[in-house]
Amino acid sequence: MSQGFNIPRFKLPAFVAKVGARLPQWPHAIALTTALNAAKKLKLLPEDSLAMLEGRSFFVDVLDTGGQAHFTYRAGLFRPLFGAMVAPDLTFRANLSAFLQLVARQEDPDTLFFNRELSIEGDTELGLMVKNMLDAIEWPRLPGFHLPRLPNFRH
Amino acid sequence: MLRQKIPELVCPAGSLPALKAAVDHGADTVYFGYKNDTNARNFAGLNFDQKAMVEGVRYAQSRGRHVLLAINTFAQPGRVADWQRAVDGAADLGVDAVILADVGLLDYANRRHPDLRLHLSVQGSATSYEAVNFAHREFGVRRAVLPRVLTLAQVELVIKNTPVEIEIFGFGSLCVMNEGRCWLSSYATGESPNTVGACSPAKYVKWEKSPGQMSTRLNGILIDRFGDSEPAGYPTLCKGRFEVNGDTYYALEEPTSLNVLEILPEIAGIGVAAIKVEGRQRSPTYVAQVTRTLRAALDALAGDGERFQVKPAWQADLAKVSEGSQATLGAYNRPWR
Ligand code: SF4
């Protein structure tokens, strides 16, 4: 069985965030919303949960890269939000390694939250919904792309 | 060599990926619930719709594992039919057993579906063999989950005096109150596990960030305040720090996780039929981490018997996913009762 790879816990040096924050932020939002829309198209995101995101705004802040993405979900699509910041309904903040560990299912969001490596601010119920929605995604086994798997003790 | 009989490992599934993680990492049995208030983990986006249930049952049973459906809240006035329909649905799905707490519902399930195996939920709050035997005699209950308030000696006493299989909690966040009897959440919000299927529902919870600290409020009531490097806990009243006679401390309970690795040989020795992992609200990652660790420990116990030793790596893996990052044996080794 493939053991996959392990994402270590790391923090990028402070200057990265300083440089990153000066770069235009919209490419992050575009990349993220494009990925989310692709996931939706593949029917990976449950419709009943998506309906509850309608009109809400989200903010993802990668602390150690300075990357930020502000977006919303409206009329069936995730869309980047440009220009003046209104207070987002939900904000996720973490270092890059924590986000990667989360997406790769290497760490549990509650563990990261208890350990204060992931911060979730804003509408708590919306936050829980998004967390549960991400947990419920069945990632397709794409050829050549393996999510890291934990070693199995039962053979 | 005589192999020690080891308890069945029962793991939580809040989603299909979590169910598959449990099965893939060595759970003997998984338990799950509907996406509504018929189960005590009724959180937005969590749990199974019909399609996911069918797939989950197929995935587990085709691999020789068992599936339990938790319908462990109390039927609310005027809506009893919703709970009865949930039981009917479980029978149609072909799950291996349903986990029930409501006496009326146990009676309904027993009469309507005599072949459906019944487990008494921890929410049913049976703490004595008399209570367990009553559920057996009246409703044909085959297994009871004991509340996390009994000492190991008390668990043994129950086992010795009942034909019903006994399941106890082995790992997970602690809910200190006599299960099924706690109204702290209702006191603060008007809603509690027994009524709406959730303790401290998220819509009442606010995490307030300010420089250097984070405050947790439940319906406006300040539950706790954490410094930036302090670990956080669940926003339930029982885990808050309150001012009592001028001292501020965990007045009801420290945020800890139950962890029985150390007393696994005793648990197996007294004849516990199954150990249960808490956490349907947690992610597939948590389920995978906890399941594989407990599987390894149980398999070691089966092979090593008396020579069983807890591996530091197991404790480290479990400590990492624990709430408050500390573990306790809970009531099991308590000298007083
Ligand atoms: S307040 Fe605490 S003890 Fe009471 S139901 Fe909630 S988690 Fe359990």
Side-chain angles (χ1 to χ4, degrees):
Chain A
M1 202 190 96
S2 86
Q3 297 280 314
F5 54 96
N6 240 324
I7 299 162
R9 185 178 166 200
F10 61 82
K11 185 172 189 288
L12 297 172
F15 74 84
V16 179
K18 282 205 192 101
V19 175
R22 271 194 232 123
L23 298 171
Q25 295 302 328
W26 54 265
H28 302 297
I30 289 181
L32 193 57
T33 51
T34 307
L36 286 168
N37 287 326
K40 181 180 182 291
K41 237 178 152 175
L42 288 169
K43 301 223 180 302
L44 294 179
L45 309 177
E47 287 297 330
D48 57 338
S49 296
L50 280 173
M52 293 171 70
L53 305 185
E54 183 68 29
R56 313 301 297 269
S57 64
F58 304 90
F59 186 62
V60 174
D61 189 3
V62 187
L63 295 168
D64 58 350
T65 68
Q68 298 180 330
H70 192 202
F71 60 96
T72 186
Y73 179 76
R74 198 160 19 84
L77 278 182
F78 289 94
R79 304 159 195 266
L81 285 172
F82 304 109
M85 273 278 280
V86 275
D89 292 310
L90 189 65
T91 300
F92 290 96
R93 288 183 217 279
N95 288 329
L96 181 62
S97 72
F99 277 124
L100 290 177
Q101 289 175 332
L102 198 70
V103 172
R105 295 233 165 108
Q106 191 179 312
E107 286 299 349
D108 169 53
D110 289 25
T111 303
L112 293 170
F113 185 80
F114 290 146
N115 297 340
R116 311 296 299 278
E117 286 178 60
L118 169 70
S119 122
I120 304 173
E121 293 154 48
D123 183 330
T124 313
E125 193 171 35
L126 184 64
L128 195 62
M129 228 272 306
V130 169
K131 183 198 92 144
N132 289 334
M133 184 167 115
L134 293 176
D135 279 348
I137 295 178
E138 287 227 71
W139 297 110
R141 310 240 156 122
L142 302 173
F145 175 78
H146 294 286
L147 285 167
R149 285 191 61 177
L150 298 159
N152 196 339
F153 283 95
R154 211 174 228 198
H155 305 287
Chain B
M1 196 177 76
L2 192 80
R3 282 173 70 90
Q4 162 121 42
K5 195 175 169 337
I6 55 167
E8 172 185 325
L9 179 58
V10 183
C11 296
S15 64
L16 196 50
L19 182 146
K20 293 183 176 177
V23 169
D24 293 349
H25 290 87
D28 298 305
T29 301
V30 290
Y31 66 101
F32 60 26
Y34 287 106
K35 258 186 198 295
N36 60 33
D37 56 1
T38 62
N39 81 91
R41 290 283 187 281
N42 178 30
F43 298 129
L46 198 70
N47 294 322
F48 287 67
D49 57 20
Q50 185 65 23
K51 191 167 142 251
M53 277 199 174
V54 170
E55 166 65 6
V57 171
R58 190 201 59 77
Y59 192 87
Q61 290 181 343
S62 67
R63 286 161 178 77
R65 318 302 170 82
H66 292 142
V67 181
L68 313 178
L69 181 55
I71 308 174
N72 55 350
T73 51
F74 291 79
Q76 294 298 299
R79 293 183 45 220
V80 175
D82 290 351
W83 273 260
Q84 294 178 338
R85 255 197 303 279
V87 172
D88 299 340
D92 291 345
L93 265 171
V95 295
D96 296 281
V98 282
I99 308 173
L100 305 180
D102 186 313
V103 170
L105 207 57
L106 280 160
D107 183 50
Y108 172 84
N110 184 37
R111 284 164 196 269
R112 179 59 76 85
H113 306 285
D115 293 334
L116 186 60
R117 190 181 148 98
L118 305 183
H119 289 189
L120 183 64
S121 163
V122 66
Q123 299 296 123
S125 208
T127 47
S128 64
Y129 61 79
E130 287 94 339
V132 172
N133 288 339
F134 170 80
H136 176 64
R137 192 172 66 235
E138 297 300 319
F139 315 118
V141 161
R142 309 272 286 278
R143 179 184 291 180
V145 187
L146 296 187
R148 286 158 275 196
V149 296
L150 300 183
T151 64
L152 214 52
Q154 290 171 320
V155 173
E156 186 177 13
L157 186 70
V158 174
I159 293 173
K160 282 199 170 131
N161 291 284
T162 182
V164 176
E165 290 176 7
I166 295 300
E167 178 172 315
I168 65 170
F169 278 86
F171 186 81
S173 280
L174 272 177
C175 174
V176 274
M177 297 297 145
N178 265 1
E179 270 103 338
R181 301 179 193 173
C182 176
W183 295 98
L184 282 173
S185 176
S186 275
Y187 173 73
T189 69
E191 299 181 9
S192 82
N194 288 341
T195 57
V196 303
C199 177
S200 314
K203 62 172 179 274
Y204 299 108
V205 176
K206 270 255 161 299
W207 306 96
E208 289 168 357
K209 193 89 188 67
S210 51
Q213 66 177 25
M214 181 170 76
S215 306
T216 319
R217 286 182 189 277
L218 181 63
N219 207 13
I221 301 171
L222 183 64
I223 301 273
D224 208 346
R225 196 167 267 158
F226 311 96
D228 276 348
S229 54
E230 253 187 304
Y234 280 118
T236 58
L237 263 182
C238 63
K239 285 165 184 158
R241 274 183 283 200
F242 302 103
E243 204 184 290
V244 183
N245 297 334
D247 279 334
T248 304
Y249 63 107
Y250 294 106
L252 294 157
E253 181 193 31
E254 300 251 346
T256 51
S257 283
L258 176 72
N259 174 356
V260 299
L261 275 189
E262 247 177 77
I263 53 168
L264 224 40
E266 287 87 340
I267 287 176
I270 63 172
V272 169
I275 59 173
K276 177 172 203 153
V277 174
E278 182 273 351
R280 275 191 291 137
Q281 75 284 13
R282 303 282 297 256
S283 69
T285 312
Y286 163 91
V287 174
Q289 287 166 337
V290 176
T291 304
R292 75 176 162 138
T293 306
L294 288 175
R295 179 78 269 153
L298 286 167
D299 287 352
L301 179 65
D304 301 349
E306 305 228 308
R307 281 173 294 114
F308 171 80
Q309 269 187 338
V310 176
K311 290 213 176 92
W314 300 338
Q315 294 292 31
D317 282 349
L318 293 182
K320 201 178 66 174
V321 297
S322 293
E323 188 192 2
S325 296
Q326 345 172 4
T328 155
L329 286 168
Y332 294 134
N333 71 337
R334 212 175 44 195
W336 50 273
R337 295 166 194 185

